[in-house]
Amino acid sequence: MSFKNWKTGFWFCFVLLLFSNWYWFFAVVDQAITNKYTSMELYSQEKAVTELGKLIVTGIESKSKKDVIFLLRQANPDAFIVDGEDVISYQNISFYFKDDKLISIGEPRT
């Protein structure tokens, strides 16, 4: 009788181990796929911000840093805006200035 209980316990643990391994395998694959799509989306967003930034810079290049802050506050009064010496950070988007004139948005240019 004890031999039969041993076999039952072995097969129960073996099947439980297989299901557990399959679960973790699919969890890791799902996370890898999610990471890939998230990084692709982030790259697309950074590219869009850079492209739109170039358009915005040409449209408001005559505005001063003070004017840009005013426009950003007017667009979203509750936004988190950090005013640095030559940089304004507006909701994870950076506006770069040189001699109080906007030179780029997204990534710094010299």
Side-chain angles (χ1 to χ4, degrees):
M1 180 136 179
S2 67
F3 183 69
K4 187 176 182 178
N5 287 337
W6 176 85
K7 278 180 150 180
T8 306
F10 169 77
W11 286 109
F12 177 76
C13 287
F14 182 71
V15 170
L16 185 65
L17 180 65
L18 285 178
F19 282 126
S20 173
N21 285 343
W22 277 108
Y23 171 78
W24 288 114
F25 172 75
F26 285 117
V28 167
V29 169
D30 179 58
Q31 187 62 34
I33 291 170
T34 301
N35 262 352
K36 180 65 176 173
Y37 283 113
T38 303
S39 67
M40 287 172 47
E41 181 65 31
L42 182 60
Y43 172 75
S44 299
Q45 183 179 3
E46 287 174 352
K47 188 175 177 184
V49 166
T50 303
E51 290 172 357
L52 289 173
K54 290 177 186 175
L55 291 173
I56 292 171
V57 169
T58 58
I60 61 171
E61 61 190 353
S62 63
K63 304 287 184 188
S64 69
K65 184 177 170 189
K66 184 177 168 183
D67 293 336
V68 172
I69 291 175
F70 177 76
L71 291 172
L72 293 174
R73 288 253 185 246
Q74 194 174 17
N76 187 357
D78 297 327
F80 183 67
I81 299 174
V82 178
D83 184 9
E85 187 176 330
D86 289 333
V87 179
I88 297 173
S89 294
Y90 171 77
Q91 296 191 0
N92 297 330
I93 300 172
S94 298
F95 295 78
Y96 295 94
F97 293 85
K98 187 173 186 179
D99 299 327
D100 202 35
K101 297 294 177 196
L102 184 64
I103 58 169
S104 72
I105 298 174
E107 295 188 18
R109 283 193 213 137
T110 55

